[in-house]
Amino acid sequence: MSISRYELVFTDATGATRDVVVVERTMYKGSGGHPIYTDATGIIRAEISDRGEIRVMPSGGHQDPAHAVRVRPLPEAEDAEGSGAPS
């Protein structure tokens, strides 16, 4: 089963969190053969393997892809919207 949504956690040189962006799976695959995920704007694009390895890809000119990024899988929409389990 593949994950359809991730949070990308961008950090600075000290490891402090600078930004968190939610990305969703697209129908495309990257050069490594893994799915490409993108944010709602299409600016943030990343190839994420089933082991959580990430490669952020530039989506336009003059971008410098981030290197200090962690990924966190997000629950599927039906899991997050009330599976009947108590909170």
Side-chain angles (χ1 to χ4, degrees), residues 10-68:
F10 294 86
T11 57
D12 62 16
T14 67
T17 299
R18 302 296 295 166
D19 202 3
V20 177
V21 176
V22 174
V23 293
E24 293 190 20
R25 185 179 178 144
T26 68
M27 63 181 174
Y28 302 104
K29 296 208 183 248
S31 59
H34 304 291
I36 300 226
Y37 293 77
T38 186
D39 72 331
T41 68
I43 294 171
I44 306 292
R45 295 173 26 125
E47 180 179 7
I48 304 174
S49 77
D50 56 354
R51 295 182 304 224
E53 301 161 325
I54 181 171
R55 183 174 64 90
V56 177
M57 304 177 326
S59 60
H62 305 292
Q63 286 184 328
D64 197 10
H67 298 286

